[in-house]
Amino acid sequence: MSEHDSIRFVLDGRVHTVTGIDPTTTVLQYLREHLGRTGTKEGCAEGDCGACTVVLAELRDGRVQYLPINACIRFVATLDGKELITVESLRGTDGRLHPVQQALVDHHGSQCGFCTPGFVMSLLGLYLDGPAQPDRRAIDDALSGNLCRCTGYRPIITAAQHLRDYGTDAVPFAPGQDESARIAQLQGLRPDGTRVLRGDGVTLYAPTDADAFARLYAEHPQATVLAGGTDVGLWINKQFRPIDTFLYLGDVAAFDAIEQDAQGLCIGPAVSLSRAFRALLDAYSALDELHRRFASTPIRNSGTLCGNVANGSPIGDSMPALIALGARVRLRHGDERRELPLDALYLDYMRQDRRPGEFVEAVIVPAPRAGQRFATYKVSKRIDQDISAVCGAYALELAADGRVHDVRIAYGGMAATPKRAAGAEAALRGRPFDEAALADAMRALAGDFTPLTDARASADYRREVAANLLSRFWLEATGVAAPVRLSELA
Amino acid sequence: MSNAESITIGRAREHESAHLHVSGEARYTDDVTAPAGTLHGAFGLSRIAHGRIRSLDLAPVLAAPGVVAVVTAADIPGENNYGAVVHDDPIFTEALVEYAGQPLFGVVATSHDAARRAARRARVEYEELPALLSAREALAAGSFVLPSERITRGEPDARIAAAPHRLDGEYAVGGQDHFYLEGQIALAVPQEDGCWRILSSTQHPSEVQHVVAHALGVTAKDVTVEMRRMGGGFGGKESQPALIAAAAAVMARKTGRAVKLRLDRDDDMLLTGKRHDFWYRYEVGFGDDGRIHGARLLLASRCGYSVDLSGPVNDRAMFHVDNAYCLEHVDIVSHRCKTHTVSNTAFRGFGGPQGMVLIEQVMDEIARHLGRDPLEVRRANFYGIGERDETHYRMKVEDNILEPLVQRLATESDYHARRAAVAAFNAASPVLKKGLALTPVKFGISFTATHYNQAGALLHVYNDGSVQINHGGTEMGQGLHTKVVQVVAEELAIDPARIRITATATDKVPNTSATAASSGSDLNGMAARDAARKIRARLAAFAAGQAGVAADAVVFERDRIVAGEREWPFAALVKAAYLARVQLWDSGYYRTPKIHYDRATFSGRPFYYFAYGAAVAEVAIDTLTGETRLLRVDILHDVGSSLNPALDLGQVEGGFLQGVGWLTCEELWWNPRGELATHAPSTYKIPACSDWPAEWHVALLERAPNREETIYRSKAVGEPPFMLGIAAFQAIRDAVAACGAPGCRPPLDAPATPEAVLRAVDAVRAAGR
């Protein structure tokens, strides 16, 4: 197998080759400091403001997908085989502005203009991959990762409703455009072999073969596994963590797979949150609100479900739902594989039942069971792109006699790990799902968790809301007439 | 000298840089090509809130990869200060630490990343001292940055005592980070003969010029500050950029090389000032109709460790504590508390919002106590026309349009029917509750520091007929430059495409005021008009002489000048005038008339005029979690005769949502050690796109020219709409009240985070049991 250190991606229609770069150089640093393309801005360097948004074009199922991502926390090393589109890429061959740019001008969507290139790129994603007549929800979703401090967003929303008002002659990126040349170009760039990037005291390995990846990790058990980098990026550019070895799994095609069998969905470690949620929503429509509120569109396009699970943060938003649904993880070390219930993976704060060199090869989500009621609720200061103060998930099966046959309740934000509410579950199991049982379960929750006070919420608030969310589940499961979720009013 | 018809005034012209914004070609300070060999700076910050520095070991910093130099107070040849009003803001503190995040030293390295990494390597030993963190703690300890102030009118105590109803209470409103998308940045470039060129993202280039000069021990003539555009300012780049620029200059002086100092977002949020948070106590006596007979209002703000702009900010809070309401008998006490936190500063509204938010709370309290619709109580207290029209600082409100404006908004927003619909919804909905509120805005326009109300402009007409305009205001996204170009185009009757507006620079227009207090276009638009009128008069005289007609018979049409039988395209007349040795460039100057104000007695006319507006907000709250949603907003706002309705609408909508953010999702949270934990957008949440309501009706009040002779009878628009956001907070309070017994007084402070709302819901429910 060949070993090389070059990264090849398409930029402005030409193949761009990068060699000898420090493996942790971000796409933003590369654009601004190496290429002098200063249109892409740094607003926060942590993927929360979207001023750095660029679009990655990737081949999938024979067509090109356009994915807005945050350039500030994404390493250049992960661009191999893709097309990078920046705000400078959009001018027409005759110099005219692209429709998304012209719409923003015509509807007064920029004031200070600093966030604007990021909005342009998120709107490009909506224009190319979204509905022709996006409704407010589609627009909010597309722009969930972009902050604007000047406009109040109204003129940007209006612009987003008018992207298709403009002709597409001489426009480099337009919906339905013949993409055969772009597809052929990307096909010619498919990563192969193992790339090894060496920098000052740091090495990044990017294999393309799953066995090679497993072998490398077994050989370098101290390495940091890198997928979408939506957290690892911050370890580098905010926390300055000393990391000497990275293992990038995003170039392993076999890891970027979702398989469905009788047992459910098996989601590979390179599958983005965006793709994972699309598959999960087919099975569990109740995940819709969590999906929308899970970080932002650019973060979901980069970050992976397995990464969220393997990172194991106590406020990771996928785990409560996955635990409630009875998801399992498949761990791999070299050629050895084992499976665990997801909740058994988490031992203590940032400590897992996973030995050095062992990685999450898949998250396996069981198919919905007949009669199962499931809901998950996220509570945070802001609707979009916020981290949960509390996230609760509930899966319930009633027996024929109306008694609770099985119940799984899990919370994030309530303990050092995502955790099941054993006491509350016990208070419900075997009993009629009535108000008395609910009251006992809410009381039992107090014994299940000892949450912390921090900038997001106090311990008291977390305790109270955890119990209240359980009562919301009860209200919804037992069929209440009046709305019980704010999202129902929109 | 008016044109046959308006060329650009009143037109919805796009922002002069819109095409550059969307294409990424607009250059901000960090995008400008820096000189070869430019180094990068970073601050080393204190880790404690209050204490003495026992030792500061920078050897590990110097040894870090890429580091070229470290700088401390000892490297400052001039004054170690960036405080403009009171000189109590050290650039690098020497012995005493007064807030967590205070700059102790600077690092200069070959890259931004290397400088940031190295800055964390300092070994600092402190002798920690007790820290005062909140305004209330400081108030109790008698810790102030400035003396307390008081305005008393009438006989408030007697009137309160005699009133049919009395209420008292406490209230608190949080601060706010500016969260301009472009962080603080400066580039200092050494020039020949001890001169300096500074690129700074600043609303106040002249202050940066002066602070840099004082720090370097040179004079203003030696320092040129240039500023093309900011990526947002909001008041956060009024006094704060002087710190960044002065530190960059000190770093550049020590290394002899250009230094760029760009703050990482976390450092920016930790070390720069924010909106003052306030704590209030109030006591009011009022009649059956809700009209206030007498009021005692106490305002205590957290100023942080130094004075900065806290004097005028708190003065403006006192001036705006009336908002739209005549307080005939009132006692206002203002405490400016010194705490061991970052020094709070200007922020859109400049204390005005913190004054107004209190009286709006009082109005709501009165209405709930009396069981009346809060809108009725507000209207009962409005300033009158010809009576009850003098403010507590003895200024007559001559331009009052509150009643018709609010009347129209209430009608157009269907306020009363929706009030009934909200009540019906709440009766049938145990978990979700809705709330509705209409709040007005009356905001005084002018700097209360009277000398700031002046401006200059410099206009060049080149002999090819193209035009450059320069003025002392700065562009931060508000569209000031667009409006000034419109003014010049209108005065010269030329296509705006002929005009280029150039970067604000202290070597073009000196002694400029901060672009602040919403005054940008009022002041600089008038200065530019003055310059343009001089040129126009010269061109008219020249054309008249050529045609043998009187100068006042010369007609300026779009890009064309007609004098009797003669007619010239603009460029041809300019060329001819040049050849005839007519001066084609000039300066313009303006100072606001009528204003005067005696700070000793807090009386006079500090404001040239008032801007008005009102908003109706409808919200829903989730009583299980305290989460809220803004469902609908209706706004009617007064900008006089709009110079540019598209830009003005942008200020109204953007200001409104920023105000909503202040009072709802934006929470600054310090841990008990005085460290700000919300120093990045991951933890500090400004409104996102989905927070703009699903339904909106936002309009500018039409056919409402400014009574005063402002630029084309327009009104300032930068700050006033910010306070429209108070409607959303009061609507949340209304929804919380729906959870309790009639007449309940929800104990809800701002920001109304989910936690604050749930606590208030629980409280009114517990009280109702």
Side-chain angles (χ1 to χ4, degrees), chain A residues 29 32-33 38-39 41-46 48-49 51 87-88 91 97 101-102 104-106 108 110-117 120 136 139-140 143-144 146-155 157-158 236-241 289 292-293 378-387 453-458 461 464-465 468-469 471-472 475 482-487 489-490, chain B residues 12-15 18-19 21-26 28 30-31 113 116-117 120 176-182 229-232 234 262 264-266 347 425 428-432 434 476-477 620-625 627-629 631 646 649-651 653-655 657-658 665-667 669 677-678 680-694 696 753-755 758 762:
Chain A
Q29 287 166 335
R32 291 185 63 85
E33 295 168 18
T38 56
K41 309 299 184 193
E42 178 180 312
C44 69
E46 60 175 34
D48 268 301
C49 81
V87 70
E88 292 92 347
R91 285 251 195 202
L97 294 175
Q101 296 173 318
Q102 193 62 48
L104 280 169
V105 171
D106 291 347
H108 309 283
S110 70
Q111 287 184 22
C112 85
F114 199 83
C115 70
T116 310
V120 164
R136 178 63 193 278
I139 294 167
D140 286 348
L143 301 180
S144 60
N146 295 87
L147 295 177
C148 169
R149 192 53 151 167
C150 296
T151 63
Y153 304 94
R154 199 282 308 161
I157 294 166
T158 305
I236 301 303
N237 70 12
K238 290 278 179 178
Q239 299 170 6
F240 306 136
R241 282 197 206 175
E289 195 172 325
R292 291 190 62 199
R293 295 182 61 183
K378 169 172 177 165
V379 178
S380 55
K381 282 183 196 167
R382 189 171 70 195
I383 305 168
D384 278 327
Q385 171 85 322
D386 200 354
I387 291 166
T453 292
D454 64 17
R456 295 196 174 88
S458 71
Y461 176 76
E464 182 178 353
V465 165
N468 285 355
L469 292 180
S471 81
R472 175 189 287 164
L475 285 167
V484 294
R485 292 198 212 194
L486 289 169
S487 55
L489 297 180
Chain B
R13 278 185 67 79
E14 69 194 43
H15 194 285
H19 62 295
H21 295 155
V22 299
S23 61
E25 291 164 23
Y28 301 81
D30 196 32
D31 304 333
D113 194 55
R116 287 177 59 223
R117 286 169 182 269
R120 300 207 184 180
Q176 184 176 32
D177 190 90
H178 303 83
F179 209 86
Y180 28 65
L181 265 288
E182 178 211 32
R229 63 173 63 79
M230 282 165 273
F234 315 111
R262 171 170 71 83
D264 168 65
R265 177 62 61 182
D266 301 75
F347 195 144
F425 174 91
S429 175
V431 173
L432 304 185
K434 289 188 179 179
M476 62 196 95
I621 67 169
D622 179 340
T623 61
L624 294 175
T625 62
E627 290 172 293
T628 64
R629 293 284 185 286
L631 301 174
L649 197 64
Q651 290 299 298
E653 292 168 336
L657 196 67
Q658 200 176 68
C665 51
E666 296 183 37
E667 184 178 29
W669 194 85
T678 47
S682 51
T683 43
Y684 184 75
K685 312 312 283 190
I686 70 167
C689 186
S690 58
D691 294 310
W692 182 259
W696 69 87
T753 58
E755 179 160 358
L758 186 64
D762 288 348

Side-chain angles (χ1 to χ4, degrees), chain B residues 240 272-277 302-310 339 341-346 670:
Chain B
Q240 311 296 295
T272 68
K274 306 168 198 319
R275 182 184 294 285
H276 293 66
D277 51 314
R302 170 158 61 172
C303 298
Y305 82 96
S306 72
V307 173
D308 189 75
L309 298 167
S310 289
T339 52
T341 51
V342 67
S343 188
N344 284 327
T345 191
W670 281 264

Side-chain angles (χ1 to χ4, degrees), chain B residues 1-9 459 467 469 483-496 499 525-537 539-540 554-561 570 643 710-712:
Chain B
M1 294 241 301
S2 70
N3 300 316
E5 63 176 277
S6 158
I7 307 276
T8 68
I9 296 303
L459 181 65
V467 176
I469 177 70
K483 288 180 172 178
V484 169
V485 166
Q486 287 179 264
V487 167
V488 173
E490 191 73 19
E491 292 297 327
L492 296 179
I494 56 175
D495 187 326
I499 305 169
M526 285 299 244
R529 188 177 79 166
D530 183 44
R533 285 189 171 178
K534 290 177 186 171
I535 302 293
R536 177 167 165 152
L539 287 174
V554 177
V555 178
F556 284 71
E557 290 171 5
R558 196 183 180 98
D559 283 325
R560 218 159 55 94
I561 291 93
F570 180 77
L643 292 172
T710 52
I711 184 77
Y712 299 106

Side-chain angles (χ1 to χ4, degrees), chain A residues 348-369:
Chain A
D348 202 346
Y349 182 65
M350 292 299 184
R351 217 162 61 76
Q352 299 177 6
D353 180 6
R354 193 152 62 84
R355 60 190 170 115
E358 193 173 36
F359 65 99
V360 176
E361 196 184 37
V363 170
I364 303 154
V365 185
R369 287 199 285 275

Side-chain angles (χ1 to χ4, degrees), chain A residues 217-304:
Chain A
Y217 197 22
E219 286 166 14
H220 300 279
Q222 88 292 357
T224 293
V225 174
L226 176 69
T230 54
D231 207 24
V232 174
L234 277 71
W235 303 355
I236 301 303
N237 70 12
K238 290 278 179 178
Q239 299 170 6
F240 306 136
R241 282 197 206 175
I243 296 172
D244 57 21
T245 311
F246 289 96
L247 273 177
Y248 178 56
L249 53 71
D251 287 343
V252 180
F255 284 166
D256 194 12
I258 302 174
E259 284 156 25
Q260 176 139 31
D261 59 23
Q263 294 207 327
L265 285 170
C266 179
I267 296 166
V271 174
S272 72
L273 285 158
S274 296
R275 287 186 64 220
F277 267 112
R278 264 199 297 280
L280 286 168
L281 281 167
D282 288 339
Y284 294 99
S285 60
L287 286 169
D288 185 44
E289 195 172 325
L290 181 74
H291 162 230
R292 291 190 62 199
R293 295 182 61 183
F294 193 114
S296 65
T297 294
I299 292 291
R300 294 196 299 269
N301 285 338
S302 257
T304 61

Side-chain angles (χ1 to χ4, degrees), chain B residues 571-657:
Chain B
L573 182 69
V574 162
K575 188 56 158 276
Y578 165 73
L579 294 172
R581 297 191 296 171
V582 173
Q583 184 188 341
L584 291 173
W585 57 273
D586 219 321
S587 62
Y589 180 76
Y590 176 73
R591 60 176 178 224
T592 312
K594 293 190 179 180
I595 51 177
H596 59 89
Y597 149 63
D598 177 4
R599 181 140 194 296
T601 58
F602 276 96
S603 65
R605 178 175 179 161
F607 307 120
Y608 189 22
Y609 61 90
F610 294 99
Y612 299 89
V616 180
E618 183 173 337
V619 304
I621 67 169
D622 179 340
T623 61
L624 294 175
T625 62
E627 290 172 293
T628 64
R629 293 284 185 286
L630 180 57
L631 301 174
R632 172 175 166 178
V633 66
D634 297 70
I635 292 172
L636 188 57
H637 194 81
D638 159 39
V639 296
S641 295
S642 176
L643 292 172
N644 182 325
L647 297 182
D648 287 347
L649 197 64
Q651 290 299 298
V652 173
E653 292 168 336
F656 166 73
L657 196 67

